[in-house]
Structures are given as C-alpha cells and as structure tokens.
Amino acid sequence: MKIVTVTAEPQANYHFQDFPEHLVQGITHLVPDNTRIQGKSFLPTTDDLNILNDADLLVVEGGDFTDWTTRIAFLANSLNIPVVLTELAYNSAIPSENPLPELIGVSANSPYGAENYRKYLGGREDIVITGHTMLDSLPKWEPIDKTVLCLSSESLVDDGVALKESIALLEAEGYKVTVRCHPREDKTLWKGYNLSDGSKLLDELATTNFVIGVAGTAFSAVLAMGIPTVIIKESTADNVLPEYRNIFTYASSKDIVKMIATVKPYHKEDIAYITGTIGNACETIVSFWKSFI
C-alpha cells in the first residue's frame, strides 16, 4: 500500500496527529518544499512529485481545495491514480467556483461536515461519515473550579482585542484563564498571557471548567465532552463555522462573566450533528482509503 496525501495547509500535517503509527504506515505527505515543514511532522514528507508515479491512492485532506491540492489532484487524475477527499479539517459550504478533480470517494467527520461537502461539491450525496479522529480517546471530564480555556484562532477579526477583554474580566472575578493558540497563529499576539504548555487539547479540556474563544474544528471535542462554552462574537469572523451559532452561546466580551454563569447545556441532537459517531474514526478513515486500493 502506497498512499500519498496533500493538505490544504501544504507544509503542515498536524491533522494526522491522532492516527496511531501502525495505521499511517505507507502514507507520505507531499509538500511544495521539504525544507519548510511547519511544526512537528506526523507523516514522512517529500517534495518529489515523482512519488505519484507508483502511488496507489491520493488523499486530499479538507478544508477547501487550494491551488496546491487542486494541482496535485488533477495530476493524479492524469496518472489514473484514484483520488479521495477526506475531512480532517473544516470545509466551507460555499460551492466551489473552480473546476474540481475527479473524486472516487469523499468522507466527512459528521453529518454537519457531510452537509458542507454536499454544498461545496455541487450536490454530491455519496459521502461516508467517519467521526472525528480527535474523539477516538476522549478523557473523563474532571473540571477544576474556576478554570477557563480560551481557544484562539489564526483568523481573529479584531487582533484578539475582545478575547483579551474577556480574559481580563474573568481574571478580575478570580478565574484562571489559559490561552491555547491555533497551530497557525502568531503567538506574539499573546505575549504576557498564560499560554498553554503544549499539552494535548483533550488533556487541557479534561480539567477546564469552561471554554471561551473562536469556534473552530477543536470545538467538536468541546461538544463531545459537554463543556460549557461561550463564543466571543467580536472575535469571530463571519466565515468561521457560522452554523455553530445555533448550538453554542455567542456573547459580547463585556458580558462574559454573566454568560459563563448561565450558559445552557447542549442538546444531544446538536452534539451528534457536529461530532458524528464518537470512537474508532482513525480505523474507519484508513479502511475507507484502503477500500479504493
């Protein structure tokens, strides 16, 4: 088995961090420049396009198709290599305006992800739902009183002003707030704040009392664990998971203390819509890929 993957963030493959090593053996990440890998690499990498010559499958990791993933997928089409699209990152629901490569299969994390793909791909229906890889090993939630995890984003519309205001108000009320930056985010924005020590997201969520921040892919784990959450609306770009507005509490930063105390629990239907089936996602995804080889 020889699988090549390309990602929407071409120099990074951190969305593979939850896959056990034995499941990703034989998978190589094709990047534009092998000297500029971003962060820890969870797959072997290469920038040699010749790797496609004897590949059995090309996996395109969602989000949306980019210039890089489109180029490589069309090249795979020309070489008669089957191409699949797998949602390991959030994909928009806006229909693609550009020609898309031929896809032999598509998988989504959840019913929510599948609905986005249907729209993005122009009505495609044969989408396999796998669950989220990050939810395969959920820890027990044992929150420490008055602790808050702030999940930031690489796309803050106000340079973090509203999140920082929220943190200040919470700390004035005796909350301990830890900021967890997005992998692509410039951490200098948070100089002087209590930053995450690099622990895994699930480990930090396991002990936090509340979550605030900007909704993104990581919030699938927040939902699955049932952690009370407030999205700070001034920091949220219009294109960041807008459907989440029906599930999470959105509030102005000035109201953060009041909203954390009154946030309502999630509905089971909302959780299932975002998370899909919880457990065994890594195995399901790799089995899906192998089914085309």
Side-chain angles (χ1 to χ4, degrees), residues 65-66 69-71 73-74 77 96-102 120-121:
F65 273 94
T66 62
T69 56
T70 300
R71 173 193 171 195
F74 272 117
N77 284 168
S96 176
E97 296 180 355
N98 301 314
L100 294 177
E102 181 181 346
Y120 181 74
L121 298 173

Side-chain angles (χ1 to χ4, degrees), residues 59-98:
V59 173
V60 178
E61 178 210 315
D64 297 17
F65 273 94
T66 62
D67 290 344
W68 171 248
T69 56
T70 300
R71 173 193 171 195
I72 299 304
F74 272 117
L75 177 57
N77 284 168
S78 72
L79 295 171
N80 294 317
I81 299 166
V83 180
V84 300
L85 174 63
T86 288
E87 183 194 17
L88 294 181
Y90 168 72
N91 202 89
S92 76
I94 301 172
S96 176
E97 296 180 355
N98 301 314

Side-chain angles (χ1 to χ4, degrees), residues 13-255:
N13 57 40
Y14 59 84
H15 288 118
F16 284 86
Q17 63 186 320
D18 298 305
F19 285 82
E21 288 187 13
H22 74 276
L23 286 181
V24 294
Q25 289 180 1
I27 302 177
T28 303
H29 183 204
L30 179 58
V31 299
D33 183 349
N34 210 26
T35 66
R36 300 179 62 189
I37 303 300
Q38 298 172 1
K40 180 179 178 180
S41 183
F42 294 90
L43 295 173
T45 63
T46 184
D47 54 13
D48 185 358
L49 294 179
N50 289 322
I51 194 174
L52 290 172
N53 291 336
D54 59 348
D56 297 308
L57 183 72
L58 177 72
V59 173
V60 178
E61 178 210 315
D64 297 17
F65 273 94
T66 62
D67 290 344
W68 171 248
T69 56
T70 300
R71 173 193 171 195
I72 299 304
F74 272 117
L75 177 57
N77 284 168
S78 72
L79 295 171
N80 294 317
I81 299 166
V83 180
V84 300
L85 174 63
T86 288
E87 183 194 17
L88 294 181
Y90 168 72
N91 202 89
S92 76
I94 301 172
S96 176
E97 296 180 355
N98 301 314
L100 294 177
E102 181 181 346
L103 301 171
I104 196 171
V106 180
S107 68
N109 292 331
S110 64
Y112 170 63
E115 182 61 27
N116 282 349
Y117 269 155
R118 286 188 195 100
K119 296 173 182 176
Y120 181 74
L121 298 173
R124 184 163 181 151
E125 295 292 340
D126 59 332
I127 300 170
V128 174
I129 296 175
T130 63
H132 286 260
T133 59
M134 76 172 74
L135 308 184
D136 277 2
S137 300
L138 285 177
K140 183 179 180 181
W141 184 42
E142 298 179 313
I144 298 172
D145 190 44
K146 301 206 82 169
T147 57
V148 176
L149 183 63
C150 175
L151 296 180
S152 189
S153 170
E154 88 285 9
S155 55
L156 296 170
V157 298
D158 64 350
D159 293 327
V161 172
L163 288 183
K164 291 177 179 179
E165 180 182 355
S166 300
I167 291 170
L169 290 170
L170 288 168
E171 288 179 338
E173 294 294 324
Y175 289 91
K176 179 183 178 182
V177 183
T178 299
V179 177
R180 185 180 180 93
C181 298
H182 188 279
R184 293 195 303 269
E185 188 174 4
D186 181 1
K187 293 181 175 58
T188 59
L189 178 69
W190 295 101
K191 186 177 181 180
Y193 285 80
N194 180 33
L195 293 180
S196 166
D197 61 5
S199 299
K200 289 185 177 181
L201 170 65
L202 293 181
D203 291 338
E204 291 195 317
L205 289 176
T207 58
T208 195
N209 210 171
F210 301 97
V211 168
I212 65 170
V214 179
T217 306
F219 279 72
S220 299
V222 177
L223 265 172
M225 296 175 69
I227 303 172
T229 300
V230 178
I231 306 301
I232 307 303
K233 61 184 180 182
E234 296 97 337
S235 290
T236 304
D238 290 340
N239 64 345
V240 179
L241 307 189
E243 291 82 354
Y244 275 25
R245 298 181 192 279
N246 300 322
I247 297 171
F248 291 109
T249 298
Y250 278 69
S252 175
S253 55
K254 63 182 176 61
D255 297 323

